[in-house]
Amino acid sequence: MRILHTSDWHLGRSFHRVSLLEAQAAYLDHLVATVREHEVDAVLVAGDVYDRAVPPLAAVELFDDALHRLAAAAVPTVMISGNHDSARRLGVGAGLIGRAGIHLRTDPADCATPVVLPDAHGDVAFYGLPYLEPALVKDALKAERAGHEAVLTAAMERVRADLAERPDGTRSVVLAHAFVAGGEPSDSERDITVGGVAAVPAGVFDGVDYVALGHLHGCQTVTERVRYSGSPLAYSFSEAAHRKTMWLIDLDASGTITAERLDCPVPRPLARLRGRLDDLIDEPALEQHRESWVEATLTDPARPAEPMARLAERFPHTLSLFFEPDRAPDDPHASYARRLKGRDDQQIAEDFVAHVRGGSAADEQERTVLRGAFDHVRVDDGVREVNR
């Protein structure tokens, strides 16, 4: 069976206030063309179809058009909801849409109810594990505790139990939206940390032939059978070095896989430039970035006059500008943003505790309280968005 694995469309998202709707439409055109060109048997979308729980109408229309074209091509599609989607909204009409070969899996209770597709060698069972917010699904899945590893373990136990009841030789594919250890994040994924832990071990998914992951935006191989497709478009400058692709997976009669990366169309390349303003403007080698979306970090000791306007003359598509004067990180005049770079919310809060105490660090009990507060706010924000 030939499978096309994609994820993280984030329909409706913009890039530094530049609409990406046209680029997303071009990607979906490419997706449908790829399905036909490579004679794909099943399309997988591993979550974050939309960028937010209540997407703009134009994004919904784009999604609707893509579903119609996939259904018209008679290629079954299996998709799950991600942490950016409203599972309930995305899942509306799932039963009816399923009759057209578009299988939405948005309810955690259905994680062990596969979409079964036959090929010349027997059945392939596709299990959809939507994003599992631990605090919301712990009881429904009878997980031991409210953590990512615990709820995914509970879901996979149900998957393996169902698979054990199926005929010998049934091959299996799992779609999941999660942060799996070994994956490399970027700046554009929403934080899903719970209790100080975001990542789960790949071993959680043992026992199935292929795991199609979503959430991380870089295409990557965690293990031979556990892969991220990544997002089809770049959604932050941290993805400037990414090669945006989809996985074309061939699953043979024994469950062995072969994988090939298929490139996605690039609307405009990204460039991260760093240096003094005059050097960036005058350097001939940088002419290659004239048509790129540009993020510029200026290192001039003093802030130059009209830097954005001057940069835009050389690089018309400059979208982001930072100032980081050439100073030592511990220089008292170093910017606050620079001192915080690379530190998460928990670390920043602990630093604040130490600061107001004159250097005395937070103890374990205080760190636990801070972690619980951040978890509570993040979960509460997620629930409010889903229930909008």
Side-chain angles (χ1 to χ4, degrees), residues 37-76:
E37 178 186 350
H38 290 272
E39 299 180 336
V40 169
D41 298 308
V43 174
L44 310 183
V45 187
D48 282 353
V49 173
Y50 293 120
D51 190 55
R52 57 182 187 265
V54 185
L57 179 59
V60 177
E61 291 174 339
L62 195 57
F63 177 62
D64 179 66
D65 179 66
L67 296 192
H68 275 83
R69 287 191 287 167
L70 288 169
V75 177

Side-chain angles (χ1 to χ4, degrees), residues 262-380:
L262 303 180
D263 290 298
C264 298
V266 178
R268 192 179 294 279
L270 308 186
R272 306 183 91 172
L273 308 182
R274 181 183 181 89
R276 299 194 176 197
L277 179 59
D278 288 342
D279 294 338
L280 296 183
I281 291 173
D282 296 335
E283 174 56 55
L286 297 181
E287 183 62 24
Q288 63 177 313
H289 300 304
R290 183 170 182 82
E291 296 304 318
S292 300
W293 277 322
V294 169
E295 174 193 85
T297 300
L298 301 185
T299 61
D300 301 71
R303 185 171 299 207
E306 300 183 331
M308 192 60 147
R310 293 174 63 192
L311 277 170
E313 290 181 6
R314 176 78 191 277
F315 309 106
H317 305 287
T318 301
L319 299 181
S320 180
L321 179 61
F322 294 100
F323 297 95
E324 290 189 7
D326 285 327
R327 296 188 177 119
D330 57 352
D331 188 313
H333 298 291
S335 73
Y336 182 66
R338 186 175 181 183
R339 295 199 300 273
L340 296 185
K341 189 173 183 179
R343 303 184 69 75
D344 61 28
D345 290 343
Q346 178 81 15
Q347 292 170 320
I348 293 169
E350 290 178 17
D351 286 349
F352 176 75
V353 171
H355 171 72
V356 297
R357 280 187 179 157
S360 178
D363 60 28
E364 183 58 36
Q365 182 179 359
E366 290 166 332
R367 289 196 294 271
T368 300
V369 170
L370 288 170
R371 189 177 300 118
F374 284 122
D375 287 349
H376 175 79
V377 170
R378 186 187 56 75
V379 172
D380 186 62

Side-chain angles (χ1 to χ4, degrees), residues 67-328:
L67 296 192
H68 275 83
R69 287 191 287 167
L70 288 169
V75 177
T77 299
V78 185
M79 59 177 61
I80 60 174
S81 50
N83 61 301
H84 278 251
D85 299 309
S86 166
R88 291 169 63 186
R89 289 175 184 271
L90 186 62
V92 169
L96 183 62
I97 296 171
R99 297 180 185 178
I102 309 295
H103 305 280
L104 295 167
R105 290 293 185 266
T106 63
D107 186 347
D110 294 332
C111 64
T113 304
V115 177
V116 180
L117 302 177
D119 68 5
H121 306 292
D123 288 342
V124 180
F126 292 84
Y127 296 90
L129 277 55
Y131 172 67
L132 301 175
E133 176 57 60
L136 301 181
V137 303
K138 171 184 175 292
D139 293 337
L141 293 177
K142 297 182 171 56
E144 294 180 356
R145 57 188 179 280
H148 287 294
E149 183 175 354
V151 296
L152 275 168
T153 296
M156 283 302 301
E157 286 173 353
R158 295 187 176 200
V159 167
R160 284 187 283 266
D162 180 83
L163 190 57
E165 297 296 319
R166 296 193 174 272
D168 291 344
T170 300
R171 289 152 294 157
S172 54
V173 174
V174 165
L175 292 78
H177 196 86
F179 186 174
V180 176
E184 183 66 31
S186 61
D187 292 343
S188 54
E189 299 106 7
R190 182 179 293 169
D191 181 26
I192 60 170
T193 300
V194 173
V197 179
V200 301
V204 164
F205 299 104
D206 286 351
V208 296
D209 295 308
Y210 183 68
V211 181
L213 293 175
H215 181 57
L216 299 186
H217 290 178
C219 181
Q220 49 202 298
T221 301
V222 179
T223 72
E224 187 63 22
R225 295 184 181 275
V226 180
R227 299 170 185 258
Y228 283 99
S229 67
S231 60
L233 299 171
Y235 294 119
S236 72
F237 277 103
S238 67
E239 301 166 59
H242 286 188
R243 175 188 165 200
K244 294 301 184 181
T245 58
M246 302 177 285
W247 283 114
L248 187 67
I249 303 294
D250 284 323
L251 186 66
D252 73 9
S254 67
T256 299
I257 69 165
T258 56
E260 177 186 357
R261 290 178 70 178
L262 303 180
D263 290 298
C264 298
V266 178
R268 192 179 294 279
L270 308 186
R272 306 183 91 172
L273 308 182
R274 181 183 181 89
R276 299 194 176 197
L277 179 59
D278 288 342
D279 294 338
L280 296 183
I281 291 173
D282 296 335
E283 174 56 55
L286 297 181
E287 183 62 24
Q288 63 177 313
H289 300 304
R290 183 170 182 82
E291 296 304 318
S292 300
W293 277 322
V294 169
E295 174 193 85
T297 300
L298 301 185
T299 61
D300 301 71
R303 185 171 299 207
E306 300 183 331
M308 192 60 147
R310 293 174 63 192
L311 277 170
E313 290 181 6
R314 176 78 191 277
F315 309 106
H317 305 287
T318 301
L319 299 181
S320 180
L321 179 61
F322 294 100
F323 297 95
E324 290 189 7
D326 285 327
R327 296 188 177 119

